[in-house]
Amino acid sequence: MAAAESSPLTTHVLNSGDGVPAARMALSLHRLDAQLMIWSMLSVGTTDKDGRCSGLIARGAFGPGMYKLRFETGSYWESRGQNSFYPYVEVVFSITEPEQRFHLPLLMSRFSYSTYRGS
Amino acid sequence: MSAHRLQQLKGHILPGNKITAMAAPSPLTTHVLNTAMGVPGANMGLSLYRQDPSTSAWSLITTGITNADGRCPGLITTEMFTSGVYRLHFETAQYWESMGETCFYPYVEIVFTTNDPGKKYHVPLLLSRFSYSTYRGS
């Protein structure tokens, strides 16, 4: 169920090897507890046919801190009958201005990936 | 002098690497490039870990600092480089902070699987303050 206001953090996974959105890829969002120095999972989801995953986090829950997006890329390639170099991809990033929007895409193939901070 | 021989000599004389004076170059190499400034990513701290297949615990193999060319020779020996899951950890925020800049990524970790340790694995990192990419090279 979509949140009343869309997530300030979005992603988009693209299969650059095949030139298609990476659909049905599992992913999860985590935040680092700065006191305990442990990660806690905030949400888990699966990309839609467009490679997107809505509702990652609510605007009210999105404070400053260190976050991690984990993409189950290895499982994705396995489901397509192929192996890949990376069992998973984790992108760890630091949010200091949570009032902004953050778009963190993942462009990936079996043997490469890239990411950037968009909006 | 061949490029290969020059690389071996550089591995002997550059500081910061735990494994030095190796007989053969590391079968696993990296190369950090600062794509924002168009320069090698020099003096970046990094570490290599291997995952224990039965316990899933990570153990540290080596730590190092990239040289002026953004490389870090001597990551691992051929004998130690068995098939498995490895993790390269790059101190990206520290790197940018040393130049008075912030970085969106406090660190970058690349986790990869090797199942043919007889081959060469080159895992570069192309990095700016707000983006990075990597690929499997040789």
Side-chain angles (χ1 to χ4, degrees):
Chain A
M1 180 67 76
E5 192 186 312
S6 60
S7 170
L9 174 66
T10 54
T11 187
H12 191 190
V13 189
L14 294 136
N15 175 342
S16 55
D18 297 320
V20 295
R24 289 188 303 280
M25 178 185 290
L27 57 88
S28 49
L29 176 66
H30 311 251
R31 175 165 50 216
L32 183 72
D33 181 312
Q35 307 284 7
L36 302 174
M37 291 304 280
I38 54 169
W39 291 100
S40 40
M41 185 183 287
L42 300 178
S43 63
V44 61
T46 309
T47 55
D48 59 23
K49 62 175 168 50
D50 195 32
R52 301 180 193 274
C53 187
S54 60
L56 280 175
I57 191 168
R59 171 59 77 182
F62 192 51
M66 197 179 300
Y67 292 80
K68 171 170 71 173
L69 260 176
R70 177 181 165 120
F71 300 86
E72 302 299 341
T73 54
S75 306
Y76 170 81
W77 289 108
E78 263 174 52
S79 74
R80 295 169 77 80
Q82 299 180 291
N83 66 352
S84 77
F85 190 45
Y86 314 98
Y88 55 85
V89 169
E90 287 187 344
V91 179
V92 180
F93 53 100
S94 180
I95 300 295
T96 54
E97 290 164 336
E99 64 279 3
Q100 294 181 12
R101 301 189 70 86
F102 295 85
H103 183 61
L104 267 63
L106 178 69
L107 286 70
M108 55 109 225
S109 73
R110 293 167 59 207
F111 297 100
S112 68
Y113 66 88
S114 70
T115 187
Y116 60 86
R117 184 261 152 110
S119 60
Chain B
M1 175 181 301
S2 73
H4 171 79
R5 180 63 182 142
L6 184 58
Q7 187 65 20
Q8 277 187 308
L9 288 174
K10 280 165 110 174
H12 296 338
I13 62 175
L14 287 164
N17 297 315
K18 275 179 98 170
I19 302 175
T20 58
M22 287 171 13
S26 170
L28 172 65
T29 54
T30 188
H31 192 189
V32 183
L33 293 137
N34 177 335
T35 53
M37 294 166 59
V39 295
N43 298 310
M44 179 183 291
L46 59 84
S47 13
L48 174 67
Y49 300 82
R50 175 173 46 225
Q51 188 172 41
D52 183 305
S54 36
T55 66
S56 291
W58 293 95
S59 45
L60 177 68
I61 306 278
T62 190
T63 60
I65 301 172
T66 56
N67 59 23
D69 195 33
R71 301 180 194 271
C72 191
L75 279 176
I76 196 167
T77 62
T78 306
E79 294 73 36
M80 287 179 66
F81 193 47
T82 53
S83 293
V85 179
Y86 291 82
R87 170 161 57 104
L88 265 171
H89 174 103
F90 299 87
E91 295 293 350
T92 49
Q94 258 176 38
Y95 167 78
W96 284 105
E97 268 169 46
S98 74
M99 296 190 292
E101 305 258 33
T102 60
C103 180
F104 189 53
Y105 311 100
Y107 55 85
V108 166
E109 287 189 338
I110 300 168
V111 180
F112 56 96
T113 311
T114 64
N115 34 41
D116 193 347
K119 288 208 165 82
K120 296 262 181 219
Y121 287 80
H122 185 60
V123 183
L125 175 66
L126 289 73
L127 171 81
S128 75
R129 295 170 59 211
F130 296 100
S131 69
Y132 67 90
S133 70
T134 187
Y135 57 87
R136 188 259 153 107
S138 59

